Amino acid sequence: MSYTHFTLIERGKLEGFLAVKMSIREIARIMGRHHSTIARKIKRNNDNFYHAATAHQNASDRKAKASSRRKLSVELIAIIEDKLFSTWFPKQIVCTVLYKKVSFKSIYCWIYEEKIKSNNIAVLRHKGKKRKGVEKRGIFSNGVSISERSEEANNRSEFV
């Protein structure tokens, strides 16, 4: 079940429906939304009257504020880059300098995303390896498919 956020146009329609005193269930039926979604939007953005533009701005502000915290700061980048240039491995950095602040996997991700500069990725223990390998079970790398075998092989007359 997918959910789509309200657009400014939908908020404008909601404002119009509320202005003509339509019920929440009626509005929900017309807009193709669940009645609880409509009620939640009204409750969240109601200051005596529902304003579509204000509600849309408030939603954008809440979305920006709710974005995940970023652990990567300028100070952290400086510490990690300094240690990497001193030929430390990410796990050594995490176990000593940054104990319980960040994981070594995060450091590897930041290096591969080029958020942190490393003098040479080949020196690192993971060496830029892909995290997920290609599925190799059930795939034969040599030999001929059964549908492509010769008639002699099918009759087993060649090795009798």
Side-chain angles (χ1 to χ4, degrees):
M1 187 168 173
S2 63
Y3 173 80
T4 56
H5 293 280
F6 268 51
T7 62
L8 186 56
I9 295 167
E10 286 179 308
R11 292 178 200 281
K13 288 180 186 177
L14 179 59
E15 182 179 339
F17 292 145
L18 289 171
V20 294
K21 307 281 188 208
M22 288 178 76
S23 73
I24 291 174
R25 288 184 184 265
E26 220 174 342
I27 295 169
R29 204 173 305 109
I30 292 169
M31 292 182 73
R33 300 281 190 156
H34 197 271
H35 64 88
S36 65
T37 303
I38 303 295
R40 190 170 45 250
K41 296 293 177 193
I42 295 168
K43 183 179 178 184
R44 187 177 289 150
N45 298 295
N46 194 2
D47 297 325
N48 298 330
F49 188 76
Y50 184 87
H51 297 283
T54 308
H56 194 69
Q57 184 60 45
N58 290 344
S60 297
D61 293 345
R62 280 191 296 270
K63 186 177 179 183
K65 188 191 280 187
S67 66
S68 63
R69 293 181 300 130
R70 305 284 185 240
K71 287 187 176 182
L72 192 61
S73 64
V74 178
E75 298 85 23
L76 196 60
I77 290 172
I79 293 168
I80 294 170
E81 285 181 351
D82 178 50
K83 296 302 179 187
L84 287 173
F85 285 116
S86 300
T87 65
W88 283 39
F89 296 114
K91 196 154 191 171
Q92 288 174 312
I93 298 169
V94 169
C95 291
T96 56
V97 181
L98 302 175
Y99 187 68
K100 290 190 176 182
K101 290 183 182 173
V102 68
S103 73
F104 73 93
K105 290 182 181 181
S106 296
I107 296 176
Y108 276 110
C109 287
W110 294 332
I111 291 169
Y112 300 143
E113 292 168 3
E114 297 179 354
K115 293 181 180 178
I116 294 178
K117 294 180 185 87
S118 175
N119 52 354
N120 189 0
I121 292 180
V123 190
L124 299 175
R125 302 239 168 128
H126 290 202
K127 296 180 179 54
K129 293 178 185 174
K130 299 275 187 204
R131 280 175 275 195
K132 289 189 178 180
V134 178
E135 179 63 48
K136 293 183 180 175
R137 293 179 292 179
I139 299 172
F140 297 105
S141 59
N142 57 357
V144 180
S145 173
I146 292 176
S147 61
E148 297 172 3
R149 288 195 317 180
S150 65
E151 192 59 37
E152 293 84 27
N154 283 336
N155 295 337
R156 296 185 183 197
S157 60
E158 198 172 296
F159 297 109
V160 177

